[in-house]
Amino acid sequence: MTTPVRITVTGAAGQIGYALLFRLASGEVLGPDVPVRLGLLEIPAATRAAEGVAMELDDCAFPLLDGVDVFDDPRAAFDGTNLALLVGARPRGPGMERGDLLAANGAIFGPQGEAIGAGAADDVRVLVVGNPANTNALITAAHAPDVPRDRFTAMTRLDHNRALTQVARRADVPVGDVRRVTIWGNHSATQYPDVFHAEIAGRPAADVLHVPEDGAGWLTDDFVPTVAKRGAAIIEVRGGSSVASAANAALDHVHDWYRGTPEGDWTSAGVVSDGSYGVPEGLVSSFPVTARDGRFEIVQGLELNAFSRARLDASVAELAAERDTAASLALL
Ligand code: NAX
């Protein structure tokens, strides 16, 4: 057996953890010849539940699963890890302001970043799912200054997948016919799902869907709010937050990061900005990205019309405000 990929999942006893661990162990994400060793990090109060998840993983007899370890200490959990999925986070409680939420999450993601910096493998890759995902990724990266910046990502793949389906529904085509949709900015209500570079069965989506340059009509009134508020809609209808679709998106993100995006297409991911598209360097913003040889690259050279520019700028302003709040709380 080749050396297993060590994967650490935080919040492993939570809902999303439960929906993604079994698929990671099955081989469908990293490949049918890639053994994995899973580390489950939880808070002490939830390690017993995580042990139960580990027992169930054992009971699946996955041939590629080298073993499962349960941790309540980040240093031990991230020691030697190749892939860190940071799912566990502090949800917004009643009356909690954005600063309170960032402070609570800073207390989680700061130490986890330090632990990644101290002990993770040289090739470590980090995906932050726990909200506020972009700024939690920024805080994590800030605490691991020796790890290359391109190893820290935040999940906007669920928004991306939601956008693909909304476009396909509108055009009445199979979702596989839709390519090159983009989520820009923050994983929040200000995110900008962009169809101006998208294609439907090889034709410009804006032509097929009759979207004017100023975004009036369906784009502004229906598409953007439907994608941006889909999480709230799921809570209202299902009676709980997105779980399986969120886990699926995390696995799509990991799959593409390791195994590449399809030729001629791209996906969306929160990555550390290099200044592309005027997004201030260092912010973790969603961009259109391709993946090759285990690296995400921001798609360059897309023209943004005035509508897209304004939407992107608004979401980036929110990211900058979150960064400033995090800095003022000494979380960076
Ligand atoms: P759950 O509340 O079911 O699970 C969270 C788990 O994290 C709990 O078991 C808890 O004990 C654990 N945890 C808390 N602090 C921890 C720490 N310091 N170390 C390790 N584990 C810790 O939430 P779930 O539904 O699984 O959602 C997890 C996160 O994903 C939430 O922050 C949620 O907001 C976020 N989401 C992000 C999405 C995205 O697109 N980026 C979409 C889905 C989801 O809303």
Side-chain angles (χ1 to χ4, degrees):
M1 210 173 180
T2 46
T3 311
V5 175
R6 297 184 81 95
I7 306 174
T8 305
V9 178
T10 76
Q15 304 184 89
I16 294 175
Y18 194 69
L20 62 74
L21 284 162
F22 297 84
R23 292 177 62 190
L24 276 172
S26 76
E28 72 178 276
V29 181
L30 297 186
D33 51 359
V34 181
V36 298
R37 185 164 188 98
L38 295 174
L40 278 44
L41 176 63
E42 261 295 351
I43 54 173
T47 48
R48 189 161 165 78
E51 295 281 4
V53 177
M55 288 163 68
E56 281 206 71
L57 283 159
D58 286 344
D59 292 349
C60 293
F62 289 117
L64 291 169
L65 184 57
D66 179 67
V68 187
D69 309 290
V70 174
F71 301 100
D72 64 6
D73 168 27
R75 289 264 170 169
F78 292 112
D79 188 35
T81 202
N82 306 105
L83 173 63
L85 304 182
L86 308 188
V87 179
R90 177 74 192 278
R92 190 188 285 254
M96 233 176 161
E97 300 294 331
R98 186 162 64 179
D100 302 330
L101 184 70
L102 281 174
N105 279 296
I108 295 173
F109 290 87
Q112 290 183 0
E114 269 168 32
I116 288 168
D122 286 347
D123 69 349
V124 68
R125 291 177 177 79
V126 182
L127 168 61
V128 176
V129 175
N131 282 319
N134 300 54
T135 299
N136 286 341
L138 186 75
I139 293 169
T140 309
H143 287 79
D146 296 335
V147 176
R149 303 295 83 184
D150 66 353
R151 307 292 183 73
F152 295 94
T153 63
M155 186 167 97
T156 55
R157 183 61 175 262
L158 180 54
D159 309 297
H160 181 92
N161 288 345
R162 288 167 171 166
L164 285 173
T165 296
Q166 293 303 317
V167 169
R169 288 275 161 83
R170 178 74 178 175
D172 197 19
V173 299
V175 72
D177 282 1
V178 183
R179 299 195 310 177
R180 299 188 171 191
V181 159
T182 302
I183 305 296
W184 299 92
N186 200 2
H187 168 69
S188 75
T190 68
Q191 66 177 264
Y192 172 48
D194 176 7
V195 300
F196 283 107
H197 305 96
E199 293 174 1
I200 298 171
R203 288 182 56 210
D207 291 355
V208 176
L209 300 175
H210 309 292
V211 177
E213 279 288 304
D214 67 358
W218 171 77
L219 186 73
T220 300
D221 301 340
D222 187 343
F223 175 71
V224 171
T226 297
V227 174
K229 295 180 190 161
R230 185 72 167 177
I234 297 284
I235 290 172
E236 195 187 319
V237 177
R238 197 179 85 87
S241 59
S242 306
V243 176
S245 56
N248 181 70
L251 298 176
D252 281 351
H253 179 113
V254 170
H255 175 280
D256 287 358
W257 203 354
Y258 276 79
R259 301 169 79 183
T261 40
E263 200 54 50
D265 200 1
W266 64 63
T267 186
S268 303
V271 298
V272 179
S273 177
D274 59 359
S276 294
Y277 298 100
V279 178
E281 209 176 323
L283 285 182
V284 177
S285 172
S286 188
F287 287 97
V289 293
T290 54
R292 290 278 167 279
D293 303 324
R295 296 179 60 131
F296 281 127
E297 297 241 5
I298 297 171
V299 175
Q300 296 296 331
L302 302 179
E303 298 238 343
L304 297 184
N305 62 22
F307 177 84
S308 297
R309 185 75 256 169
R311 292 279 178 154
L312 172 57
D313 287 350
S315 196
V316 167
E318 183 184 55
L319 284 173
E322 286 183 15
R323 177 199 55 200
D324 293 348
T325 305
S328 71
L329 295 166
L331 300 175
L332 297 179

